[in-house]
Amino acid sequence: SSFYDVDLKSTDFLLGLFQSSHMSYDFVRTPEPLENEAGEPSLSEMTSSAITMLQKGDNGFFLIVEGGRIDHAHHSNRGKLSLADTVAFDDAVRRATEMTSSEDTLIV
């Protein structure tokens, strides 16, 4: 099933595997499923879903969100891809900030 079809309120555990290796760079990411591809949610969408699920617990949580493709693009001298992934990572951090409280959350 699709990432977008998951009912986060009734789901207790979720693992999303969208590629057999690295996910696509955000600039070339296909958000909607195509004929031979599952489609890939954005880093912001995955962050939002993870926080929504983790906030259901009473004991707090620890979440790592990584924009690893930024570094991959730099090593390949692909500045446009790196910049697009940096913007996508910024969107994910912004979403995490909107969904959590600075009173009990540390975002590094």
Side-chain angles (χ1 to χ4, degrees):
S1 78
S2 170
F3 172 85
Y4 303 102
D5 296 332
V6 176
D7 179 5
L8 298 175
K9 292 181 181 176
S10 65
T11 301
D12 292 325
F13 301 97
L14 180 64
L15 173 65
L17 300 173
F18 305 103
Q19 292 290 344
S20 61
S21 183
H22 301 292
M23 291 185 68
S24 300
Y25 291 103
D26 195 70
F27 188 78
V28 296
R29 176 178 63 86
T30 307
E32 297 299 323
L34 299 175
E35 184 176 328
N36 295 322
E37 297 180 14
E40 296 178 11
S42 70
L43 192 57
S44 178
E45 291 169 324
M46 290 184 285
T47 300
S48 178
S49 292
I51 291 172
T52 297
M53 290 200 55
L54 291 168
Q55 283 178 331
K56 293 190 290 186
D58 295 329
N59 297 322
F61 59 88
F62 177 82
L63 174 65
I64 295 176
V65 177
E66 180 185 11
R69 298 295 276 165
I70 297 168
D71 190 47
H72 292 166
H74 275 296
H75 285 288
S76 300
N77 291 321
R78 302 182 84 184
K80 185 176 186 176
L81 297 179
S82 181
L83 181 58
D85 270 45
T86 300
V87 171
F89 186 70
D90 185 62
D91 291 343
V93 172
R94 182 179 307 109
R95 186 67 184 130
T97 302
E98 293 169 352
M99 294 182 71
T100 58
S101 167
S102 62
E103 297 291 320
D104 60 3
T105 304
L106 174 64
I107 297 178
V108 178

